[in-house]
Amino acid sequence: MAQSFPYTYYRCPCVDTSTPTSAVAPPNLPSDPSSAPVEQDEEEGHTFDPLSPRANFSLFPLEHLLYCTECHEIRCPRCTMEEIISYYCPNCLFEAGSSSVKEHGNRCIRNCFNCPTCTAPLSVNAMEMERSNGSDTGSSASEQSHQYFLSCPYCNWSSLEIDMDFKSPQNIYHQFTKFYRSQPDLESKPSQVSPTEAMETPTQATTPVQQPPTPTAHPTDQEHYARLTAFLRTQISDTDTNSYNDINFSSPSSITRLMHLYNPSSKKAALQKPALMREAQKQNEGLVVQDLERDQKRIQEIRFRGWDGTISLSQRSQQQHPRNIHFDTDLRPVPTLLICKRSKRCRTCRSVLFRPESKPTSTRFKIKLLALEKIPRLSLRALNAATVPAALITSVPSSSPLITAAQGFDYNALKPLKPTLFLLTLSNPLEDPVKVTLATPGVSKTAAGVESKVTILCPQFEVGANTDVWDEALNPSTRDKEREREAKRRSALLTLSSGSAESMAEAQAGVRQAEAGKIWSSGRNWTSVIVEVVPNPTIDPSAKSRSSKGRGNEDDDVLEIPVFVRMEYEADAHGDGDARLDDSTSSARRRGEKEKLEEAFWCVFGVGRVVGL
Amino acid sequence: MSRASTATRKATKGEFIETDSGNKVWRRAHISGAPNITLGGKTVIQADVQLRGDLARVQPPRSQGDGKAAPVNHSISIGRCTIVSAGSVIKPPHRVSKREVDGRAVKEVHYYPMKISDNVFIGPNCTIQAANIGQHVHIGEGCVLQALCVVKENVKILPYTVVPPNMTIPSNSVVGGRPARIVGELGDGWGMTTGSAGGDNEGWVEGGDLRELVRAIR
Ligand SMILES: [Zn+2]
Ligand SMILES: [Zn+2]
Ligand SMILES: [Zn+2]
Ligand SMILES: [Zn+2]
């Protein structure tokens, strides 16, 4: 999904546990994330490279991350386990029981179908001749014997194209499956003498218990499946001397029994050689023989019908039974696939991190441990850009200074050699003030090899606690003062940057002198600092060779800045951070009133695109 | 709830008019059938937006079936803190039906009421004909929501998506494409901000509470 600039991704540390480097280094104890990983990262000079191919799998937007309060770590989709709570249809929003899911293969068994050509949901329509309002199910109550059909309101495909119609607007799925079963495979015409009869090998003495009655040369998928299961069932019961099918894997005796299979030295295993199961050899056993004649016909038909008559790969894969489907006339409506609600657990400690309510229409949840409640939110934006989204700004030819200032900045065109100032804002979700240290590798590269110098003017600062929401709101005077001060700064900066190159550099220096080591602005639970980015056209040769391997990547010019965030805070020992009391290392601190806690992680800012010189 | 028609009462200088309930309606918005439109308050209707309140149901339906239609004359209702960006067209959904009049088949167009909930962001240049849009829905630029589709709460619609008629988009999904299909899932923290924020902080996120953003639009 394309993200608009600037964006912030957070790195889940779970990737580290599987990297070879961490296998060499002493493993980070999951119970003590506070000190060990941080120091290691810094001591080893092990900085996070957002360009590494592995990085893609560990970066997530903040709202996609959970936080395990037992392990005190970020949890991403990779380090959580999911459990299905309920299945439901995305179209009619009815919950499907698990037995129905088992039986019907997670399809909606009501009236929901998707268009086989374009995937839009199909609607049930009555035939035109009758008097009706030609609408959804049940809305027509005319007494005449209606004919109904499915049609696509988006691409105008209709089930009449494949001669499929329905007697009633209710229970379409049921009628559909009946239709499907009654319709023999299009190719199996009676005139066609099966060439495969001759190939049949004489059977062994096995007599299948349940055989589907009439084996045709081209069975439907259901028939095929039924035959094959029946055959395999007899095979299992016939050859089953050791009865491996009722093995309980949790019992040690069965495991030893299984291990005998693989242990040639075992006498017992050598003695008991199980009778081998054979493959299906007849058509009524589920064997499907390649039909060359039919294939020939198909090929001729392709020639005859041309491109328009054939279907695309995605259309084919969307079909419920994609075997032998090649032409648009073979397409059937697709019963809507169900979706499900899932709960999420921490993979390390198995505690539940997220559990939604099972009702399909409910968006509420029982448990939700979000990372954004524990991890500060970092955001980056150009100093002279407004908080209003670009979409709104371009549409508003307003005289407001806020908006006109923002119109000047284009994240898709960062100019080389021109220092651009960004505002990095960190907002604190915790109820304690935090001390933050930011670190960045200093030089960030785009995939195309353009290096950019990145300087955080004030890498160490404090952020206030997220205490009383109303404090700030009820105290407008301080707020206004702050705004005023900031507006002054901003306008000063704007006038400076419009000057000549030299004066601008001077101005930048002046700004830097004024601001180095100082925060730009702050509020109740947030603090903003300036980040200076200077894209440098020096091309790193190694990066260039790397990018040339994967030629033509449109994101080669995207500048992403990795920033290491480390925060320290003191929490009440019995308050927010009490879960760490069982940690032996902090047992000494337990007696004290406050507990020193630490959190550290990497995040990546997508700043924008660097344009050429 | 205040009628959009009352908006004109309190005129302030500038490009938009702010009503008593805090709605910001651009002077350059095209609003027809204003008595049929309700705005929930703190809602933004930007320039060149078309609100087609005139496309209301004229008479109660003669045919059976749509018995539980909303009261007549409320063709568009928009909730609180909802933003309709410039160039978008909000048009009540319609359905064409055929009816026999004097032995001849006659086509009739029925308009149905439309409801857009609170904290919905509608990007610029969209065409909205949905029957219902739930809370905290973010609709990107240039989307088309065709007649009678239903968007449940907490949904993100990617830019330039065409949602086909009658489609239901379930909660917590990301949809995109032409026609729209579910392409992803929203994060569990969709629409959550880190406390309230002011000053330089954004104070709002996609799918979140849009109050701050509405305030920032000046
Ligand atoms: Zn992870
Ligand atoms: Zn369904
Ligand atoms: Zn279609
Ligand atoms: Zn855990």
Side-chain angles (χ1 to χ4, degrees):
Chain A
M1 234 175 288
Q3 276 269 7
S4 56
F5 297 112
Y7 56 79
T8 313
Y9 286 150
Y10 294 71
R11 178 171 175 269
C12 179
C14 68
V15 183
D16 275 347
T17 56
S18 57
T19 52
T21 47
S22 74
V24 177
N28 303 335
L29 295 173
S31 58
D32 184 21
S34 52
S35 52
V38 180
E39 264 119 53
Q40 264 174 26
D41 268 24
E42 284 171 357
E43 277 165 21
E44 292 172 354
H46 169 95
T47 55
F48 175 63
D49 178 14
L51 289 177
S52 82
R54 208 184 271 273
N56 264 340
F57 302 99
S58 60
L59 291 175
F60 298 92
L62 184 56
E63 71 263 19
H64 281 258
L65 292 171
L66 299 170
Y67 189 88
C68 180
T69 46
E70 298 293 316
C71 307
H72 288 269
E73 263 182 73
I74 300 174
R75 289 285 172 250
C76 71
R78 214 178 112 118
C79 47
T80 48
M81 302 188 299
E82 293 184 339
E83 282 158 27
I84 291 169
I85 287 183
S86 63
Y87 295 88
Y88 64 102
C89 169
N91 196 48
C92 62
L93 301 176
F94 269 83
E95 191 172 339
S98 55
S99 62
S100 140
V101 171
K102 249 182 195 165
E103 194 182 340
H104 299 281
N106 63 315
R107 304 272 173 177
C108 179
I109 55 165
R110 296 162 59 83
N111 297 318
C112 306
F113 288 87
N114 288 97
C115 176
T117 59
C118 77
T119 75
L122 296 174
S123 46
V124 183
N125 285 13
M127 294 287 203
E128 296 231 328
M129 304 84 78
E130 278 92 10
R131 206 190 81 116
S132 81
N133 56 7
S135 61
D136 265 8
T137 53
S139 53
S140 158
S142 191
E143 326 80 62
Q144 288 133 304
S145 63
H146 275 297
Q147 290 287 78
Y148 295 88
F149 62 99
L150 295 167
S151 74
C152 174
Y154 186 81
C155 73
N156 285 331
W157 181 89
S158 147
S159 68
L160 295 174
E161 285 176 27
I162 54 164
D163 296 324
M164 183 184 274
D165 53 22
F166 304 95
K167 287 204 174 62
S168 135
Q170 265 101 36
N171 247 328
I172 300 273
Y173 181 83
H174 185 67
Q175 299 177 63
F176 170 79
T177 43
K178 259 167 76 184
F179 182 90
Y180 211 132
R181 283 203 186 112
S182 66
Q183 181 112 330
D185 195 329
L186 294 168
E187 310 312 310
S188 59
K189 286 160 190 128
S191 62
Q192 221 176 354
V193 182
S194 166
T196 56
E197 292 296 321
M199 284 171 64
E200 273 187 24
T201 48
T203 46
Q204 273 104 37
T206 48
T207 44
V209 191
Q210 294 163 319
Q211 282 285 4
T214 48
T216 55
H218 301 290
T220 64
D221 282 334
Q222 282 98 338
E223 281 168 354
H224 180 212
Y225 180 76
R227 285 179 204 168
L228 206 57
T229 10
F231 168 72
L232 289 175
R233 206 163 281 145
T234 58
Q235 280 293 299
I236 285 169
S237 62
D238 285 357
T239 59
D240 190 18
T241 47
N242 294 343
S243 66
Y244 283 109
N245 53 340
D246 60 343
I247 273 186
N248 175 17
F249 286 99
S250 53
S251 110
S253 67
S254 339
I255 294 293
T256 43
R257 210 150 57 110
L258 268 179
M259 290 314 289
H260 278 308
L261 270 181
Y262 300 103
N263 193 353
S265 66
S266 162
K267 287 168 206 159
K268 211 176 168 191
L271 285 172
Q272 286 185 354
K273 209 165 196 179
L276 287 172
M277 278 172 70
R278 65 179 178 85
E279 297 286 339
Q281 285 169 340
K282 280 163 48 180
Q283 280 178 1
N284 58 9
E285 288 169 355
L287 180 74
V288 177
V289 185
Q290 186 73 16
D291 184 348
L292 296 175
E293 198 177 313
R294 187 174 66 165
D295 288 354
Q296 271 307 322
K297 271 190 151 178
R298 287 268 172 186
I299 291 167
Q300 287 204 330
E301 221 173 325
I302 290 172
R303 191 173 299 158
F304 173 68
R305 294 222 226 168
W307 177 257
D308 291 338
T310 53
I311 58 174
S312 74
L313 191 61
S314 64
Q315 282 170 344
R316 186 175 168 175
S317 58
Q318 201 208 169
Q319 286 288 301
Q320 211 176 356
H321 303 288
R323 211 161 53 93
N324 292 333
I325 287 184
H326 301 102
F327 303 107
D328 52 1
T329 47
D330 300 341
L331 292 174
R332 309 283 168 83
V334 185
T336 302
L337 276 169
L338 303 179
I339 55 178
C340 52
K341 288 206 154 193
R342 292 151 6 255
S343 70
K344 290 164 191 173
R345 280 174 191 278
C346 171
R347 262 190 207 279
T348 314
C349 70
R350 311 248 154 171
S351 59
V352 179
L353 306 180
F354 180 75
R355 192 196 295 280
E357 272 187 3
S358 70
K359 227 178 101 212
T361 47
S362 165
T363 50
R364 280 180 296 193
F365 47 86
K366 290 171 184 150
I367 298 167
K368 182 147 115 174
L369 298 171
L370 297 172
L372 54 81
E373 285 164 354
K374 295 284 173 188
I375 298 292
R377 182 187 289 273
L378 289 103
S379 59
L380 191 80
R381 61 181 179 79
L383 186 57
N384 52 352
T387 54
V388 180
L392 279 178
I393 294 154
T394 48
S395 61
V396 187
S398 169
S399 53
S400 155
L402 180 78
I403 285 165
T404 41
Q407 273 170 328
F409 198 80
D410 185 4
Y411 291 100
N412 281 309
L414 302 179
K415 296 198 178 60
L417 294 173
K418 193 190 167 213
T420 317
L421 297 187
F422 289 91
L423 205 54
L424 192 161
T425 304
L426 191 141
S427 35
N428 178 16
L430 302 170
E431 288 171 6
D432 305 286
V434 294
K435 256 190 220 161
V436 179
T437 310
L438 301 178
T440 178
V443 171
S444 299
K445 272 177 273 185
T446 66
V450 176
E451 292 184 340
S452 298
K453 234 182 108 198
V454 180
T455 320
I456 301 173
L457 294 193
C458 178
Q460 271 185 322
F461 53 88
E462 284 193 24
V463 186
N466 184 18
T467 44
D468 196 15
V469 185
W470 298 105
D471 261 8
E472 198 182 34
L474 294 176
N475 202 350
S477 60
T478 54
R479 194 197 179 100
D480 284 352
K481 234 185 276 168
E482 216 158 66
R483 276 230 171 114
E484 216 174 86
R485 212 176 337 139
E486 199 230 310
K488 228 182 265 171
R489 272 179 189 164
R490 189 177 288 177
S491 60
L493 204 76
L494 280 176
T495 48
L496 287 173
S497 60
S498 59
S500 70
E502 286 129 297
S503 73
M504 197 174 89
E506 244 171 71
Q508 293 295 354
V511 168
R512 211 176 302 153
Q513 264 178 3
E515 295 298 324
K518 282 199 183 129
I519 59 165
W520 178 258
S521 58
S522 67
R524 180 176 55 89
N525 70 330
W526 56 270
T527 299
S528 298
V529 295
I530 299 281
V531 179
E532 191 196 60
V533 178
V534 190
N536 200 340
T538 325
I539 305 279
D540 175 26
S542 71
K544 200 171 188 190
S545 67
R546 179 163 37 167
S547 75
S548 63
K549 272 177 217 155
R551 199 75 219 145
N553 194 340
E554 57 170 332
D555 284 341
D556 272 357
D557 53 351
V558 171
L559 176 63
E560 286 189 326
I561 302 175
V563 171
F564 186 70
V565 183
R566 179 184 185 175
M567 50 186 255
E568 286 171 27
Y569 60 100
E570 285 188 342
D572 292 337
H574 296 280
D576 219 32
D578 60 343
R580 210 173 291 179
L581 281 181
D582 53 342
D583 192 356
S584 57
T585 56
S586 65
S587 59
R589 293 176 198 143
R590 199 191 318 179
R591 273 152 224 130
E593 280 183 348
K594 292 275 184 176
E595 191 186 10
K596 218 174 184 184
L597 295 172
E598 207 172 292
E599 194 79 55
F601 56 92
W602 280 97
C603 63
V604 170
F605 293 107
V607 179
R609 292 174 190 277
V610 179
V611 292
L613 268 175
Chain B
M1 301 283 254
S2 75
R3 292 276 164 86
S5 57
T6 61
T8 40
R9 249 192 350 216
K10 187 189 167 190
T12 48
K13 271 194 177 175
E15 307 232 349
F16 62 83
I17 298 155
E18 190 162 352
T19 66
D20 295 338
S21 51
N23 295 316
K24 295 175 179 179
V25 181
W26 256 249
R27 289 179 195 279
R28 272 173 53 210
H30 306 282
I31 296 172
S32 33
N36 298 339
I37 302 171
T38 55
L39 301 180
K42 291 197 162 45
T43 277
V44 176
I45 308 290
Q46 288 205 303
D48 301 319
V49 167
Q50 290 189 39
L51 290 184
R52 297 296 305 272
D54 55 323
L55 299 178
R57 171 179 307 224
V58 207
Q59 83 266 31
R62 262 177 292 165
S63 70
Q64 328 77 331
D66 6 43
K68 46 184 193 298
V72 190
N73 287 341
H74 270 218
S75 56
I76 300 175
S77 86
I78 300 180
R80 292 176 67 80
C81 297
T82 283
I83 295 174
V84 184
S85 310
S88 285
V89 178
I90 311 292
K91 190 178 163 189
H94 70 275
R95 179 179 276 162
V96 181
S97 63
K98 292 178 192 77
R99 182 185 297 277
E100 224 169 278
V101 178
D102 305 330
R104 273 191 2 208
V106 175
K107 277 191 181 178
E108 278 187 354
V109 178
H110 279 282
Y111 283 98
Y112 293 80
M114 162 197 263
K115 185 171 182 284
I116 299 176
S117 303
D118 305 344
N119 292 302
V120 175
F121 181 91
I122 298 175
N125 304 318
C126 291
T127 302
I128 309 290
Q129 273 201 286
N132 205 323
I133 299 179
Q135 298 181 8
H136 299 286
V137 169
H138 187 95
I139 302 174
E141 180 188 352
C143 289
V144 179
L145 273 65
Q146 291 187 318
L148 292 163
C149 62
V150 173
V151 185
K152 306 304 273 188
E153 56 195 292
N154 296 343
V155 166
K156 178 171 179 169
I157 302 182
L158 299 177
Y160 303 104
T161 299
V162 178
V163 180
N166 309 326
M167 184 180 186
T168 304
I169 301 176
S171 290
N172 296 321
S173 46
V174 181
V175 295
R178 288 166 294 235
R181 50 199 95 168
I182 300 172
V183 295
E185 250 183 351
L186 291 173
D188 300 321
W190 165 256
M192 306 258 302
T193 40
T194 307
S196 99
D200 268 335
N201 204 355
E202 290 177 359
W204 70 280
V205 289
E206 263 180 23
D209 218 327
L210 297 180
R211 190 180 302 253
E212 290 285 330
L213 182 57
V214 170
R215 204 161 59 188
I217 295 175
R218 287 182 275 161

